[in-house]
Amino acid sequence: MTVRRDFKEPARCRPDLVIGRDELFGSARDQLARGGSVLLHGPAGIGKSTVLRALAADYGDAAHTVLRCSATESESHLPFLALADLFGLVLDQISDKLPTAQRTALESALTGRGESTLQRDGLALRLAVLSALRALAASGPVLLVADDLQWLDSASAELLGFAARRLGDTPVQLLCAVRTEGQEYDRHLRASPPDTLAVRLNPLSLAQVSALLDHRGYTDLPRSTVREIHRTSGGNPLFALELGRALGENPTPPRPGEPLPVPTSLRALVLSRLDMLSDGARRTLLVASAGARPTLALLHAAGRENAEAETAQAAELGLLATEPEGPGVRFAHPLISAALYAEAPVQERRAAHAALSTAASDPIERARNLALAATGTDPEVAARLAEAAALARDRGAPSVAASLGLLAARHTPPDGTPAPDEHRLKAAEDAITAGEVDLARDIAREVLTRATVPADRIRAWEVVIESAGQALGDVDAVFPQALADAGEDPRLLALVHYHLAWRKLIVEGDFSEARQEAAHAAELAARGGDRRTELMSLSFQAHTETLMGHPNAPATIKRALREPQDPYVACHHNGVGAARFRWLLMSDQLPEARATITALLREVRRRGMVESEVHFQRFLAETELRSGHCGRALDLSRESLRLARDSGIGLGASAMLASLAEASGGDLDRALVLAREAAGRAEEDGDQMYLSRALAALGHAQLVAGDAAAAVGSLRRVRELETGLRITDPARGRWHGDLAEALVRVGEPGEAQDVIDVAREQALRLGRESVLAVLDRAEALVRAAHGDHEGAVARLTSVQDRLAKLGYGLEEARAAFALARLRAPRPGPTSYDEAARLFRRCRALPWLRQVDAAAAAGAGEPAAVPPQGPPPSDALEGLASMERQVAALVMEGATNREIAARLFISVKTVEATLTRVYRKLGIRSRVDIVRLAAGRHAK
């Protein structure tokens, strides 16, 4: 039975909860499932009520009775109101089960008749609430759901606390939420059952805020604006949604560098104490809100003589955070600063910026404030801003440089030199470097509406193309227009053909055509004297040749490394440094690859090149993964994915690598989710190159999870894709060994040998030693499946030693595991000690679990390939290969664990396979399979 108070419950509360609250929701739900209570706490707007409703909806069905109350500030003075909400509709059911004195006291409190008070009827009321809960629990579990505990009337709070502390083993659980600013939830926890779990809701991350805004329909906001919403809201979901709503209703969105429009609802919420400030303190806070990093010294220099006393007054009112150490002046919440600035008249804002333009010590900050204080065009202001943008660029702050460049364009006269569009194009290029692709694209599109100079138009087209990322098919219409604008100018044509090379690779999946386009672009750039484009084109040519296994790849890399070099190209993720890294990694030179990518990552961080940082973080994770450092790879891949989600750059590639890292050292379920996400993104973008890699990651995760049949399906598709793409170097995706192993597990050793033979031919031609070792490991499994155990053991022993010398720790451990399965004549835990040691050294937790399962099951040799003739019973002929193998082992009397270990699959896969066998054969149990083996029909 559920008794509800009539309060509004959004129909879409659960999707909001999932955004950023998965782990929290899971721990709270587990606590409720164990019979415990939960207290949610956090500041206003953080999402407590949403989580509370979702938990109540998710867990409420498990309770026989659900009692609800939701207090409000305006009603908190009314005694027993919450008690009436909770028990009003169930009083008739329990009144006859209460002693007379308790019943009278409770009825009086709930109905208002008799003027019951805690002072007069305290003990009777306390016992009545406790007895009422026990009476309800006698019929089944009771869930008490209470929102906004801070507004609960004091009488109800006292009575509920008394009962909660005395319920003992009575099946009554509390699910409550209370507003707290810090950790002051202790008094509410003391009034809860002893087993209550306190769960604090923390601010959402940038990616979570972005997902929340998307879910609510605010999908057209530029990523730079979403970042500003996250900063201003402090990750508070209510504040973020209100800011998003204000932007959605504003026909003219703020320009870069301008504050967000703060809606009246939020201003009232955070500035309720502003009227208590003196006029001087209010002006001081305005100057602080206008500054980037306000300090007391800066406020003094800006003319605020009483800054210490005025900021102290603001801190007492909770507007500023107290900083006992350090000179910084920090607002208690970013929204207070934004609301204070939005509330101020325009003239007062300009006055604050004018004061800061002379008070600030940093030239960038002086220039920014000078621009915000000025009106109209001013060549001197524009020049100061352009200088500040260049300084920000040199400091590795391209996002700041982009904002300053747009301010410079705004203050440049139409006939100025450089022209306003020159500042805009530079700002767009800075925005691309900073990862603000939405802003960059919008700037470029604006320039294209009026630009007539071919060079300016090509620069703008280049920004539009780069802002498309992997989805180059979305900008197909750009290329003919760009070629027309380039005319016969070799410098401009080189830029267009460089991007056409990428289109050939990503959209059409044609490596040969992409290589030719890149070579053509390099030739045009050399003719036009554009060394940067020449180097980028040569780097891309080397990249395609490496993936193709083309013999010219080393020579092309050497050409790209010749002087003179360009510092930007040297550290760009598509530049020569990255091309050299790929070659080192694919050539098994792991220490050199690690040193190269570490240096590149350090440089792009110094320069603020966000897109390159995303990719290089992923490259470093891949290097560590191949070296068998699974824990380190997992940390790096997760950080790369977080950065990709925050910036909206390289999401598919980062999800793909994170999947590989999770499958090797983390969570297998997460690995599968990430691989499917990566594949979905690649298909959505039309990116065939990364689709094959994503599917390879999916197949690997499925193999590690024990689902060999699914792994075969995924990896066969990879084989088809890469054959069509003409990718011949098996070191690119390194999926061939996994496919061969999966094929052996499903009983297809012939196809497995074919995969091995084709890949080995290319690996021998290119000298890919680690690939050859992995292929030999897979071939050993083929031999074992055919009954050649002695040859398989000899091959695996050699493979393990070779992989150890090459530094491939995880692959070495996998060879040791396969060897342990084959060697153990009397299987037991000690048979797997070496494999466990190597996996433990790698921190390869999913693999360690497989070793433990194999040791526990006493796994021995893998099953030989079933005979090609008829099975023991004609009834098995209709079964698939894996189903026949499982059925045959059941006929031999093997347990599910033994079958799983011998076929290299999970117990869960064995159970699912048996279910299919039963259905196809029209039988019910393992006994019926054994009867079939004996030639008898199941009755």
Side-chain angles (χ1 to χ4, degrees):
M1 173 182 173
T2 298
V3 179
R4 302 179 182 272
R5 185 183 188 274
D6 185 21
F7 71 96
K8 295 180 180 178
E9 181 171 350
R12 297 190 300 170
C13 65
R14 185 61 191 276
D16 292 347
L17 167 71
V18 171
I19 298 170
R21 304 299 189 196
D22 290 13
E23 185 176 346
L24 177 153
F25 184 84
S27 62
R29 183 177 52 193
D30 291 345
Q31 169 73 359
L32 292 171
R34 289 191 295 267
S37 297
V38 173
L39 175 68
L40 306 169
H41 66 99
I46 203 66
K48 302 179 298 298
S49 297
T50 300
V51 176
L52 183 87
R53 288 192 292 266
L55 281 169
D58 188 82
Y59 184 72
D61 291 342
H64 181 268
T65 304
V66 178
L67 306 175
R68 299 177 185 266
C69 70
S70 183
T72 63
E73 184 177 11
S74 62
E75 298 171 344
S76 60
H77 66 286
L78 300 173
F80 306 123
L81 182 62
L83 204 65
D85 285 343
L86 291 169
F87 293 105
L89 297 181
V90 295
L91 184 60
D92 291 342
Q93 301 173 43
I94 58 173
S95 60
D96 61 343
K97 300 175 184 177
L98 305 180
T100 303
Q102 294 179 22
R103 181 173 65 248
T104 302
L106 184 59
E107 289 176 348
S108 178
L110 297 185
T111 62
R113 296 193 301 271
E115 298 183 357
S116 178
T117 66
L118 274 180
Q119 288 73 23
R120 190 179 67 189
D121 303 317
L123 181 59
L125 270 174
R126 286 173 171 82
L127 293 175
V129 172
L130 181 59
S131 298
L133 289 172
R134 285 173 174 165
L136 289 169
S139 302
V142 175
L143 178 65
L144 192 154
V145 182
D147 199 4
D148 283 320
L149 280 185
Q150 74 278 1
W151 304 131
L152 222 65
D153 63 273
S154 58
S156 296
E158 165 63 24
L159 294 171
L160 289 174
F162 175 87
R165 292 189 295 271
R166 290 164 175 79
L167 285 168
D169 295 332
T170 306
V172 176
Q173 297 169 264
L174 272 65
L175 173 58
C176 305
V178 62
R179 180 186 300 178
T180 56
E181 293 303 328
Q183 297 296 320
E184 68 278 11
Y185 61 90
D186 289 352
R187 64 185 181 90
H188 299 286
L189 196 58
R190 287 193 295 271
S192 302
D195 60 351
T196 299
L197 173 69
V199 179
R200 179 169 181 81
L201 276 72
N202 291 314
L204 300 180
S205 68
L206 171 57
Q208 291 162 353
V209 166
S210 178
L212 178 62
L213 292 168
D214 285 347
H215 170 69
R216 285 300 181 91
Y218 306 120
T219 55
D220 296 329
L221 297 174
R223 186 158 289 275
S224 55
T225 301
V226 173
R227 272 198 287 272
E228 186 62 19
I229 288 176
H230 177 257
R231 188 196 67 79
T232 304
S233 69
N236 184 296
L238 173 65
F239 297 172
L241 287 171
E242 285 294 294
L243 290 167
R245 181 181 59 79
L247 284 164
E249 295 173 353
N250 190 346
T252 56
R255 290 176 290 190
E258 289 185 344
L260 296 177
V262 180
T264 305
S265 59
L266 291 187
R267 294 189 200 184
L269 180 64
V270 299
L271 299 181
S272 56
R273 288 157 285 183
L274 200 62
D275 292 338
M276 302 172 69
L277 287 174
S278 65
D279 289 343
R282 185 168 182 152
R283 290 193 183 92
T284 295
L285 289 192
L286 176 61
V287 175
S289 71
R293 292 176 297 278
T295 62
L296 288 173
L298 179 65
L299 294 175
H300 276 298
R304 307 312 303 165
E305 297 177 355
N306 299 317
E308 286 91 347
E310 289 164 348
T311 54
Q313 181 189 7
E316 288 177 4
L317 293 172
L319 294 167
L320 292 179
T322 54
E323 297 284 357
E325 299 178 2
V329 174
R330 185 168 62 85
F331 284 90
H333 192 281
L335 189 61
I336 296 175
S337 173
L340 180 67
Y341 188 91
E343 188 86 359
V346 173
Q347 290 302 326
E348 289 187 16
R349 291 189 212 168
R350 286 187 180 142
H353 286 299
L356 289 169
S357 69
T358 57
S361 59
D362 184 79
I364 293 176
E365 186 62 9
R366 286 200 303 269
R368 185 183 76 87
N369 280 291
L370 179 64
L372 294 173
T375 57
T377 59
D378 186 327
E380 183 180 345
V381 171
R384 291 268 300 275
L385 286 164
E387 292 171 3
L391 181 58
R393 203 174 296 120
D394 291 342
R395 288 182 180 178
S399 180
V400 175
S403 295
L404 293 169
L406 290 174
L407 287 172
R410 191 188 310 170
H411 289 284
T412 300
D415 57 350
T417 303
D421 278 349
E422 172 62 28
H423 291 304
R424 291 189 181 94
L425 286 169
K426 194 63 184 171
E429 291 161 355
D430 286 328
I432 284 285
T433 301
E436 298 183 4
V437 293
D438 295 335
L439 174 62
R441 182 185 58 246
D442 292 345
I443 297 170
R445 292 285 188 188
E446 180 190 351
V447 170
L448 285 165
T449 61
R450 57 178 171 268
T452 57
V453 177
D456 289 347
R457 292 187 63 80
I458 293 299
R459 283 178 69 186
W461 286 129
E462 189 175 18
V463 169
V464 171
I465 293 169
E466 290 190 7
S467 65
Q470 299 297 109
L472 284 179
D474 293 347
V475 292
D476 263 349
V478 166
F479 292 102
Q481 298 176 67
L483 284 170
D485 285 334
E488 300 297 324
D489 188 327
R491 290 175 62 94
L492 302 182
L493 284 170
L495 285 167
V496 180
H497 281 280
Y498 169 72
H499 290 291
L500 277 169
W502 276 103
R503 186 194 172 282
K504 290 286 185 184
L505 179 62
I506 292 176
V507 178
E508 298 182 16
D510 193 325
F511 275 75
S512 179
E513 286 288 329
R515 173 181 173 271
Q516 292 177 27
E517 280 284 4
H520 183 42
E523 180 187 344
L524 287 166
R527 197 191 318 160
D530 182 356
R531 183 61 172 162
R532 173 174 291 190
T533 303
E534 181 186 7
L535 289 171
M536 291 294 288
S537 301
L538 287 171
S539 300
F540 179 71
Q541 182 182 343
H543 172 54
T544 55
E545 289 174 348
T546 298
L547 296 181
M548 294 169 67
H550 197 285
N552 288 359
T556 306
I557 292 175
K558 287 182 181 178
R559 284 179 61 200
L561 286 169
R562 289 176 190 160
E563 296 295 337
Q565 283 294 311
D566 181 292
Y568 174 82
V569 176
C571 64
H572 192 274
H573 59 280
N574 290 323
V576 62
R580 180 171 179 270
F581 160 78
R582 290 187 186 95
W583 175 259
L584 291 169
L585 189 68
M586 294 172 71
S587 301
D588 299 322
Q589 300 178 59
L590 296 181
E592 294 88 345
R594 182 184 293 106
T596 298
I597 199 61
T598 301
L600 287 170
L601 183 58
R602 187 184 306 117
E603 179 62 14
V604 297
R605 282 175 174 165
R606 186 188 72 79
R607 289 171 169 264
M609 299 170 68
V610 174
E611 184 173 8
S612 293
E613 182 181 354
V614 170
H615 290 295
F616 288 162
Q617 186 102 349
R618 173 169 56 84
F619 291 168
L620 181 56
E622 185 175 2
T623 306
E624 298 295 357
L625 191 59
R626 293 199 182 182
S627 302
H629 304 152
C630 297
R632 171 73 172 148
L634 190 62
D635 292 341
L636 287 166
S637 67
R638 286 174 174 173
E639 176 61 21
S640 173
L641 184 59
R642 184 200 63 76
L643 186 59
R645 294 202 193 284
D646 285 351
S647 63
I649 295 171
L651 274 169
S654 294
M656 175 273 298
L657 201 282
S659 171
L660 290 172
E662 293 284 353
S664 299
D667 185 302
L668 272 176
D669 289 337
R670 181 167 169 76
L672 292 165
V673 169
L674 288 169
R676 291 188 177 101
E677 177 190 340
R681 289 186 179 278
E683 288 192 293
E684 183 179 333
D685 291 341
D687 184 350
Q688 298 183 61
M689 184 173 67
Y690 265 113
L691 177 58
S692 68
R693 296 219 54 189
L695 289 171
L698 177 59
H700 178 74
Q702 290 165 332
L703 181 67
V704 179
D707 193 346
V712 167
S714 298
L715 295 173
R716 276 175 175 161
R717 190 175 173 199
V718 175
R719 190 184 190 188
E720 292 169 5
L721 281 168
E722 296 207 351
T723 299
L725 292 169
R726 299 180 188 174
I727 297 175
T728 58
D729 193 335
R732 187 251 180 175
R734 305 179 69 89
W735 48 265
H736 309 76
D738 282 347
L739 176 55
E741 183 175 335
L743 286 165
V744 170
R745 293 191 189 186
V746 300
E748 299 290 350
E751 184 181 346
Q753 188 64 57
D754 180 61
V755 170
I756 292 167
D757 291 343
V758 172
R760 179 180 283 136
E761 181 181 352
Q762 298 298 336
L764 284 168
R765 178 176 66 83
L766 297 166
R768 304 298 193 226
E769 292 298 328
S770 65
V771 173
L772 288 168
V774 169
L775 292 172
D776 284 350
R777 184 184 68 205
E779 189 171 53
L781 300 179
V782 174
R783 291 189 177 189
H786 283 298
D788 182 8
H789 298 280
E790 192 174 322
V793 167
R795 176 66 60 91
L796 285 172
T797 303
S798 169
V799 164
Q800 184 180 343
D801 182 60
R802 286 155 58 197
L803 288 168
K805 290 178 180 177
L806 289 168
Y808 283 78
L810 184 59
E811 301 292 359
E812 175 195 357
R814 288 180 63 178
F817 186 26
L819 190 58
R821 288 175 181 270
L822 294 176
R823 267 182 168 169
R826 298 188 174 209
T830 56
S831 306
Y832 297 92
D833 285 350
E834 173 70 359
R837 181 185 70 80
L838 292 173
F839 281 131
R840 197 173 293 113
R841 184 183 68 183
C842 295
R843 285 183 57 191
L845 301 182
W847 288 102
L848 268 173
R849 285 190 283 271
Q850 285 198 37
V851 172
D852 291 343
E861 302 172 357
V865 177
Q868 300 303 308
S873 169
D874 292 343
L876 300 189
E877 287 183 349
L879 300 180
S881 173
M882 174 61 74
E883 293 166 352
R884 286 199 306 275
Q885 290 184 74
V886 170
L889 289 171
V890 169
M891 291 172 179
E892 295 174 12
T895 66
N896 284 1
R897 281 187 175 275
E898 290 168 343
I899 294 169
R902 292 177 67 178
L903 296 182
F904 294 86
I905 59 178
S906 67
V907 173
K908 188 175 181 181
T909 301
V910 173
E911 293 168 350
T913 304
L914 279 174
T915 299
R916 293 194 299 273
V917 169
Y918 298 156
R919 185 174 64 250
K920 289 183 178 181
L921 299 182
I923 59 178
R924 299 180 184 177
S925 68
R926 299 166 60 92
V927 175
D928 294 334
I929 295 180
V930 175
R931 287 173 179 166
L932 285 174
R936 297 191 300 270
H937 293 291
K939 300 294 185 183

